[in-house]
Amino acid sequence: MAQRLPIVLFALVMAVLPFVPGIPPFWIVLLDNIGLAALVAMGLVILTGVGGLTSFGQAAFCGFGAYTTAILTTSYGLSPWLSLPAALVVSGIAAVVLGLMTVRLSGHYLPLGTIAWGISLFYLFSKLELTGRNDGISSIPPLAIGTFEMRNPNTIYFAIWLAVVVAALITVNLLDSRMGRAIRALRRGHIAAESFGVQTAQAKLLVFIYAAVLAGLSGWLYAHFQRAVNPTPFGPQAGIEYLFVAVLGGAGYVWGAVLGAGIVTVLKEILQSYLPLLFKNETQFEIVVFGVLLVALLQLAPNGLWPRLLALLPLTPRGQQPQPAAALPAREIDTASTGPLLTIDKARKQFGGVLAVNDVSFEVGRREIVALIGPNGAGKSTTFNLVTGVLTTTSGRVSILGQDTTDTPPQQVVRLGVARTFQHVKLVPDMTVLENVAIGAHLRGHAGAIASMLRLDRADEAKLLAEAARQIARVGLTDQMHQLAGSLSLGQQRIVEIARALCADPVLLLLDEPAAGLRHKEKQQLAELLRQLRDGGMSVLLVEHDMGFVMNLAQRIVVLDFGTKIAEGTPETIRTNPDVIRAYLGGTA
Ligand code: ADP
Ligand code: MG
């Protein structure tokens, strides 16, 4: 609720604003334009700021929305209210088509791809007979409720700002959910999210469609505001401006979109009205000044102006809050079968000339703690990646609970009950510990994006957060639950990763150097926790360099050197094994 209170206040302010006596009519026009830009920028907040997918092409989706309603209302006489769903669907379908082609691009190719289709669609709008070529389409009917027509800026104002408020609500709801966490995890690489079952390609497409539909809504409103459309406002320059609006406001913050839209729209207006007087209409100086001002603002606030503004307020953003909720159903463990939990059979992984894992075979049984040790570069982390499906094997087989999982994608492996942590911590630093840990329970929740937007996911969501809180308590981090993950020490972040893995309700836990960075007492607590987990029926495969920790904890140890297994046995036999001493333990063990 706390997150919705500002929206309610904001809605009230915007609702009374036009009735303030003496407010210049021209301010209302500006506010209309701000609202239209804010809608597009809000989509970019999710797409670019949260999801990490930079798009210069959002203006084209406004074009789909605007032209759809323009054509349907002028050529086919459809009511604008009936053309609204059509405009949104057309924008959404365009996003699916372009998204499928674009979101798989990575690095610089993705923004370049969006520029490319931004330009192509602009030319398409200007060349097609259907869209009226360069002249566009005019005589678009106004929005009307009964006989009340929204013909002037004062009346369509309400439609525009209602749309902004509703979009803000839906966007906040979406971010504050199971799918929202999956989207927020995208920016930090895919591997961690996928290891907990997130279908990252789908999540990207989802934000792509969402952003496009918001842009389409803006386009629909624009068409009935201007009552005419032509290609210019949907071209590449507008696309760049929308991205500017989002980045300046603070990509990643829903309200940053509104703030950014306000600043850019007002700035442009001021420059366009006053600079020509100053420079006696000498070419378009305002564009140059506008650019310089934007760069200066970004220098002042690289993360956008909204977080700057928030920092001035006495608020402590605390993220999602757990509520009491029924427990999630636990995984049913097949106690009858006795075979090994994990079997690695001659697994091999070659990276070009490097043989990282060389025909390694070993097993992990039920209720067993097995350690995988060896010098740096021995192939331990690569073995984890082969087991969890992050990497595909060059040859050999992996099976879990008797089921062949060789080259199974990570999202499937975790379903079988294998959860992991990473040697290089992979948390989302600007999400709280609770929110990060809840990603671990992704597959145990069911609410989809639409349910989340409409807030129909609360029962499901409460269970996920309660489970996350429970696992955080189990690893002893309750006091840090509402801190941002990035603010914790590296050792604590590793423990957060263990809590996240436990949220998946695993039968096998893979821990890659969990004790690195922990103090002596914390290591003892970790060892105690792992013993408890084993006694509770879980198996653990861990990579660790602290030999005291490993020897006290593991029942069995597998030693790798240069990708090859050189020994396997109980801690006592490993400690005295001459090959192991030569390769790894040296004289210290
Ligand atoms: P460990 O975890 O035992 O320290 P790794 O499994 O990380 O070792 O690495 C084993 C070997 O494989 C190293 O020589 C490393 O440089 C190489 N390696 C690991 N990942 C990659 C990769 N993605 N591409 C190329 N080489 C890699
Ligand atoms: Mg490693």
Side-chain angles (χ1 to χ4, degrees), residues 381 423 512-513:
S381 297
Q423 179 181 351
D512 202 341
E513 307 197 8

Side-chain angles (χ1 to χ4, degrees), residues 430-458:
D430 56 3
M431 263 162 71
T432 64
V433 168
L434 180 74
E435 291 163 343
N436 266 290
V437 170
I439 291 178
H442 186 78
L443 287 178
R444 301 172 77 191
H446 305 285
I450 304 271
S452 306
M453 290 176 200
L454 301 177
R455 234 168 156 65
L456 301 173
D457 63 336
R458 290 299 101 178

